[in-house]
């Protein structure tokens, strides 16, 4: 017969088993701890856990595992008895979570309230005394309390968010989703994982435009997940060269045996695995393999101190989930995602009903890039097939043969008067390429060749062969004042040199010459007659994502002057995850514009076709227009600043401008009106795209020593980064 102690031990074991699913919601856990005056460190010490683990339990990112779970439940039960919830809050809903579960569509197209969730998918009750619902559909699955937000309608098809991070711990595979949700994954192979995602995971993202398509779910695989599913921790040298696993690898064979298919890119860092569609429903899952450098540190991380390899899966899900909600579900590199965002917001086709047959058929949208058109020789890069046989080997094309619209890389010597200043202050334009795309009219169809000295028309985007060597900035008057043209770069060349003869220019550049008051006489041109502001919606989405992310770090549009500088100096320390998101958003804007003229990566012989040329979005003329608009827009601000305060830059690198200054702060150099406001049309401190932030400060002596060491003057703009919060520039 059992003794009393044995019986008590058996009862305690039963109580512990019951306690596995008896935890209050995360917000209540935090309230109970704070009501008792306990710190996270004290609770962690009592439970033999890490303080960060207790913080994750209170945030709902993770859940405690046995035996700590039972002890934690007992602690919370005791605290709840001593510190009951106020009566007014007893039935209040849990507070809205910080990370949205899924983006449900643009604000202009509100998503209707979702249908009732089937009984097989119970939701956690909001009451602090309710038992959380199971997060998996199989017995024994871990439990988690899902935070809910009444203000955000979630598409029931994608109720668990756009993506999840797949990790393995103690043999248990878990899917970490946005909002702290953790799902148990029963799949024991990659094909089973794909099928589980399509059938049960409820991952994905609703389309950004009614004529677009929903985003495929993404699974981010950690190193532990790779080991669990039989994938190598790293690609071999040959596999890295080809960017994929070999077809003989066992996982690739498993995929084929299961009736699944891979895209032509194969099983690489960003692998797409799919089954044939069911009617109009896609059945595709994208894998993002973290250890294979799918998330390049130069775009998604801190390149000098990578955080992603050691980031907790819940934090990684929060980071990428926020990116998906504010930008879109990642499609690869930030550049690839930036380009895909253009198409997602401006789909090339729509379904249109035939009035005669009543059937739906494909129709093209007038405001989108819909098909391939003949290219223009002056607009394409040197390796383009259309240039085969046009020039001698190793010939370097001249401005009269090639459209050279690029950002500034310019510098000049300091004058004796400027050397009397102690400092050089560098300011940086926020998201300058995205800002230049805003409101820009671009061509949407193919080129029309104009010959016989056509008249310039600023409403026609394209390329113009014109001589602008007669433009003399010293003859230009701004607000009744003449500027010193010798201390300003030419607005017509990336190096800031004055043009020497006819050259190809994009429409914004020629239009700026007309704006300055000079006559232009084009020799010939290639223009587009179907036009539109194709990039407006793209800019607005990236702008909103950037401004919202900066606001999360304490940098808001209402800050000005010293408050803004102080907020920028500390913003990266406020939330490291948001700092990574800021970097990714800026890289998306920059890379998306660059992808419009993607060059050959050297994997094919010179003058041979390469894959990017088959895209409707391979449009070097649009890239040239954006870069031209960025450069002349910057020059316009330089002119306004010079006229207002007799202030001239000494160096410009892309979007970083260096001014000599008596003090170390931008407030010491950027001019203001007598009322204390920024000079109209000049540089203005602020967080919005097109405004400037402090990039760094150095001394004039430092610059002179650098020039002496290197034997001449060169652009030092991107070397002045004493401000640790300064970004990498555009």
């Amino acid at each position: 017969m059992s003794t009393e102690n044995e019986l008590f031990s058996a009862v305690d074991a039963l109580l512990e088993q019951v306690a596995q699913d008896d935890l209050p919601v995360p917000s209540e856990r935090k309230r109970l701890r704070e009501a008792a005056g306990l710190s996270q460190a004290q609770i962690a010490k009592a439970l033999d856990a890490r303080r960060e683990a207790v913080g994750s339990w209170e945030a709902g990112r993770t859940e405690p595992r046995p035996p700590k779970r039972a002890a934690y439940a007992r602690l919370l039960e005791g605290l709840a008895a001593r510190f009951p919830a106020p009566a007014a809050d007893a039935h209040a809903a849990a507070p809205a979570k910080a990370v949205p579960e899924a983006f449900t569509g643009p604000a202009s197209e509100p998503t209707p309230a979702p249908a009732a969730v089937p009984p097989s998918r119970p939701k956690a009750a909001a009451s602090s005394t309710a038992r959380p619902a199971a997060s998996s559909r199989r017995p024994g699955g871990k439990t988690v309390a899902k935070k809910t937000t009444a203000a955000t309608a979630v598409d029931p098809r994608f109720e668990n968010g756009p993506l999840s991070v797949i990790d393995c711990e103690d043999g248990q595979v878990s899917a970490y989703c946005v909002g702290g949700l953790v799902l148990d994954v029963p799949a024991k192979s990659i094909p089973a994982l794909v099928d589980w995602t399509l059938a049960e995971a409820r991952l994905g993202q609703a389309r950004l435009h009614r004529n677009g398509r929903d985003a495929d779910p993404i699974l981010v695989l950690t190193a532990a997940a790779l080991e669990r599913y039989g994938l190598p921790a790293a690609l071999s040298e040959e596999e890295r060269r080809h960017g994929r696993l070999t077809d003989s690898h066992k996982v690739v064979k498993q995929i084929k045996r299961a009736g699944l298919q891979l895209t032509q890119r194969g099983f690489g860092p960003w692998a797409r695995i799919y089954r044939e569609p069911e009617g109009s429903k896609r059945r595709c899952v994208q894998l993002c393999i973290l250890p294979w450098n799918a998330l390049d540190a130069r775009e998604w991380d801190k390149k000098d101190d990578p955080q992603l390899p050691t980031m907790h899966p819940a934090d990684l899900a929060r980071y990428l989930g926020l990116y998906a909600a504010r930008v879109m579900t990642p499609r690869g590199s930030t550049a690839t995602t930036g380009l895909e965002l253009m198409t997602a917001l401006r789909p090339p086709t729509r379904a249109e009903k035939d009035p005669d047959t009543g059937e739906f058929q494909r129709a093209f949208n007038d405001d989108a890039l819909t098909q391939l058109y003949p290219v223009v020789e002056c607009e394409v890069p040197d390796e383009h097939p259309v240039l085969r046989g046009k020039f001698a080997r190793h010939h370097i094309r001249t401005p009269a043969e090639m459209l050279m619209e690029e950002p500034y890389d310019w510098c000049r010597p300091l004058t004796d008067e400027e050397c009397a200043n102690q400092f050089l202050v560098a300011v940086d334009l926020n998201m300058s390429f995205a800002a230049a795309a805003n409101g820009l009219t671009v061509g949407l169809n193919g080129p029309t060749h104009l010959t016989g000295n056509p008249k310039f028309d600023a409403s026609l985007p394209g390329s113009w062969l014109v001589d602008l060597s007669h433009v003399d900035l010293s003859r230009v008057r701004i607000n009744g004042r003449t500027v010193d043209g010798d201390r300003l770069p030419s607005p017509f060349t990336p190096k800031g040199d004055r043009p020497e003869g006819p050259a190809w220019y994009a429409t914004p550049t020629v239009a700026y010459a007309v704006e300055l008051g000079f006559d232009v006489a084009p020799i010939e041109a290639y223009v587009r007659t179907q036009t539109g502001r194709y990039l407006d919606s793209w800019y607005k989405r990236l702008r909103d994502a950037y401004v919202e992310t900066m606001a999360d770090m304490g940098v808001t549009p209402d800050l000005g002057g010293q408050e803004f500088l102080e907020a920028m100096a500390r913003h990266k320390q406020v939330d490291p995850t948001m700092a990574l998101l800021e970097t990714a958003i800026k890289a998306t804007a920059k890379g998306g514009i660059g992808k419009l003229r993607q060059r050959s990566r050297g994997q094919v012989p010179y003058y041979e076709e390469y894959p990017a040329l088959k895209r409707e979005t391979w449009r070097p003329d649009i890239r040239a227009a954006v870069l031209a608009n960025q450069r002349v827009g910057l020059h316009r601000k330089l002119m306004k600043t010079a006229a207002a305060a007799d202030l001239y830059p000494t160096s410009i690198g892309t979007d970083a401008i260096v001014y000599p200054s008596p003090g170390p702060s931008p407030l010491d150099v950027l001019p203001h009106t007598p009322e204390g406001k920024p000079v109209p049309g000049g540089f203005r401190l602020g967080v919005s795209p097109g405004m400037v932030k402090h990039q760094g400060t150095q001394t004039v002596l430092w610059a002179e020593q650098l020039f002496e060491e290197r034997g001449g003057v060169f652009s030092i703009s991107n070397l002045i980064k004493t401000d640790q919060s300064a970004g990498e520039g555009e």
Side-chain angles (χ1 to χ4, degrees):
M1 181 177 293
S2 300
T3 65
E4 183 177 323
N5 288 337
E6 290 174 340
L7 292 173
F8 282 173
S9 297
V11 170
D12 287 342
L14 287 175
L15 290 174
E16 181 176 337
Q17 181 176 347
V18 173
Q20 302 306 306
D21 294 322
D22 194 15
L23 287 177
V25 294
S27 60
E28 178 66 4
R29 304 171 198 175
K30 182 178 180 181
R31 186 196 71 80
L32 290 172
R33 176 181 60 78
E34 293 177 343
L38 298 174
S39 67
Q40 291 180 349
Q42 287 175 297
I43 293 180
K45 183 177 181 181
L47 299 179
D48 192 23
R50 296 185 302 116
R51 184 196 62 76
E52 293 81 4
V54 177
S56 295
W57 300 342
E58 291 183 353
R61 292 193 295 269
T62 60
E63 291 293 303
R65 295 176 179 271
K68 294 182 177 64
R69 186 182 183 92
Y72 188 44
R74 179 168 297 186
L75 169 65
L76 295 176
E77 182 181 0
L79 294 177
R82 297 187 61 183
F83 306 101
D89 299 332
H91 301 288
K97 60 177 177 283
V99 183
E101 291 191 22
F103 181 74
T104 57
S108 58
E109 297 180 22
T111 301
V117 180
S120 61
R121 298 287 298 182
K123 287 185 178 286
S127 171
S128 62
T129 60
R131 176 177 298 179
S135 62
S136 171
R137 297 187 186 181
R138 64 187 181 88
K142 70 179 70 174
T143 59
V144 65
K146 286 180 64 179
K147 298 180 182 179
T148 59
T149 182
T152 304
V154 177
D155 191 320
R157 299 173 300 160
F158 313 126
E159 65 172 331
N160 293 333
L163 52 85
S164 70
V165 179
I166 307 298
D167 192 39
C168 182
E169 183 179 355
D170 299 330
Q172 173 60 53
V173 181
S174 303
Y176 292 81
C177 306
V178 298
L181 175 67
V182 184
L183 303 175
D184 278 356
V185 180
K188 293 180 170 55
S189 66
I190 289 295
L193 178 64
V194 171
D195 287 337
W196 171 82
T197 303
L198 294 173
E200 299 188 47
R202 297 200 177 186
L203 296 173
Q205 187 177 34
R207 64 195 68 184
L208 301 183
H209 189 283
R210 62 190 180 91
N211 292 325
R213 64 176 177 84
D214 299 328
D216 298 323
I218 287 188
L219 303 180
V220 182
L221 303 186
T222 65
L226 292 189
E227 182 180 0
R228 173 65 180 79
Y229 289 119
L231 291 165
L235 296 176
S236 67
E237 183 177 348
E238 180 183 356
E239 290 169 340
R240 283 198 306 271
R241 187 166 59 251
H242 292 90
R244 68 185 75 182
L245 287 177
T246 60
D247 291 341
S248 61
H249 194 278
K250 63 178 182 179
V251 172
V252 178
K253 292 181 178 179
Q254 286 176 357
I255 292 171
K256 293 181 179 178
R257 284 198 301 268
L260 292 163
Q261 301 181 56
L262 289 163
T263 61
Q264 291 183 352
R265 292 194 173 192
F267 201 108
W270 287 91
R272 283 190 179 273
I273 308 176
Y274 65 96
R275 292 192 183 278
E276 291 297 329
E278 291 181 343
S280 61
K281 181 181 178 182
R282 286 170 57 92
R283 296 191 294 169
C284 179
V285 174
Q286 186 163 15
L287 302 184
C288 168
I289 303 180
L290 194 61
W292 295 0
N293 198 37
L295 300 177
D296 195 306
R298 294 170 297 180
E299 305 170 348
W300 298 97
D301 204 352
K302 298 169 68 174
K303 66 179 182 180
D304 298 326
D305 182 22
Q307 306 294 306
L308 298 186
T310 58
M311 184 179 286
H312 191 280
D315 294 327
L316 183 57
R318 172 178 178 254
Y319 168 32
L320 297 178
L322 273 173
Y323 180 89
R326 295 180 181 180
V327 181
M328 70 177 300
T329 302
R331 301 289 180 87
S333 67
T334 53
T336 298
T337 305
L339 191 69
E340 290 290 334
L341 180 62
M342 297 179 193
T343 304
L345 295 170
R346 300 280 194 188
T349 61
R350 68 184 187 277
E352 189 173 76
K353 192 172 184 179
D354 190 320
D356 298 328
T357 64
E359 296 181 354
F360 284 94
Q361 57 188 8
R362 187 177 69 166
F364 291 106
N365 292 318
D366 293 335
D367 62 350
L369 301 176
T370 58
Q371 56 184 300
L372 294 174
Y373 293 101
V375 298
V376 177
E377 290 183 12
C378 69
E379 295 174 348
V380 301
D382 292 335
E383 67 272 18
H384 196 281
V386 76
L387 298 180
R388 181 188 286 114
K390 299 289 183 179
F391 303 102
R393 188 174 177 82
H394 305 305
H395 172 76
I396 298 177
R397 287 193 287 169
T398 66
E401 298 167 336
M402 179 181 183
L403 181 66
M404 297 183 179
E405 295 287 13
E406 300 292 339
Y408 273 127
D409 181 17
W410 169 83
C411 191
R412 65 170 176 82
L414 277 72
T415 65
D416 292 340
E417 182 182 356
E418 290 170 339
C419 286
N421 291 286
Q422 183 179 355
F423 299 100
L424 293 175
V425 174
V427 293
D428 177 79
L429 283 168
N430 298 322
M431 297 186 65
S432 64
F433 293 150
N438 183 34
L440 180 66
T441 300
V442 300
L444 301 177
N445 63 343
T448 298
H449 191 194
L450 305 180
T451 57
N453 302 108
K455 182 179 179 180
F456 175 69
D457 186 346
S459 66
L460 293 178
S463 302
W464 304 79
L465 181 62
V466 58
D467 187 353
L468 299 179
S469 60
H470 62 286
V471 176
D472 184 2
L473 295 181
S474 62
R475 293 166 44 198
V476 179
R477 295 181 64 82
I478 304 292
N479 297 331
R481 297 187 58 179
T482 302
V483 299
D484 184 353
D486 293 334
R487 288 197 284 171
L488 285 174
S490 168
F492 309 124
T493 62
K495 291 294 183 181
D497 302 325
R498 189 166 174 171
E500 297 180 351
W504 286 101
Y505 301 101
T507 297
T509 303
V510 185
Y512 186 56
V514 175
E515 178 186 325
L516 294 175
F518 295 91
D519 295 328
V520 296
I523 301 170
E524 62 175 311
Y526 290 90
V527 298
R528 278 81 181 174
T529 55
Q530 181 186 341
T531 65
R533 292 166 58 162
Y534 175 73
L535 296 171
D536 273 12
S537 56
W538 179 83
Y539 159 76
K540 291 174 182 176
R541 186 157 178 85
L542 289 174
R543 175 202 62 193
D544 292 347
Y546 177 74
V547 172
E548 185 177 358
T549 300
M550 295 300 289
D552 287 339
M553 293 184 284
V555 186
T556 55
D558 60 335
L559 297 179
Q562 189 61 35
E563 284 184 322
F564 170 75
L565 295 176
E566 291 173 356
M568 285 297 298
R570 63 175 180 266
H571 80 283
K572 289 186 181 293
Q573 286 72 47
V574 172
D575 189 334
T577 301
M578 289 295 177
L580 295 183
L581 183 59
E582 174 200 356
T583 300
I585 292 171
K586 292 193 295 186
T588 302
K590 174 184 177 182
I593 296 299
K595 274 280 188 177
L596 291 169
R597 195 200 67 166
Q598 182 176 334
R599 304 192 65 169
S600 169
R601 296 176 179 174
Q603 72 271 28
V604 294
Y606 215 59
Y607 294 141
E608 294 295 329
E609 293 277 349
Y610 52 95
L613 301 181
K614 299 178 181 179
R615 293 196 317 252
E616 292 84 354
T617 51
W618 194 84
R619 291 294 299 267
D621 58 301
I622 297 181
R623 173 191 177 271
V626 173
L627 268 59
N629 206 37
Q630 186 267 353
R631 195 182 64 250
V632 300
L634 173 56
H635 193 273
R636 190 178 290 112
K637 292 179 183 291
L638 296 175
M639 295 280 283
K640 294 288 182 66
T641 302
D646 197 32
L647 184 65
Y648 296 85
T650 64
S651 178
I652 304 174
T654 306
D655 53 8
I657 309 99
V658 178
Y659 280 109
S661 171
S665 169
L667 297 175
D668 297 320
V669 62
L670 295 181
H672 289 74
T673 63
E675 294 78 20
K677 297 182 179 181
V679 170
F683 298 105
R684 179 179 179 181
L685 288 171
V687 70
S688 298
M691 294 185 178
V692 298
K693 59 181 179 291
H694 184 209
Q695 177 172 284
T697 298
Q698 282 288 2
T699 64
V700 171
L701 180 60
W702 168 86
E704 293 294 344
Q705 289 176 340
L706 205 59
F707 294 155
E708 184 176 351
E709 290 173 3
R710 302 199 182 181
V713 176
F714 63 98
S715 181
I716 57 175
S717 301
N718 292 321
L719 299 179
I720 302 179
K721 289 186 178 179
T722 54
D723 179 2
Q724 296 303 313
S725 69
E728 293 300 318
E730 300 289 346

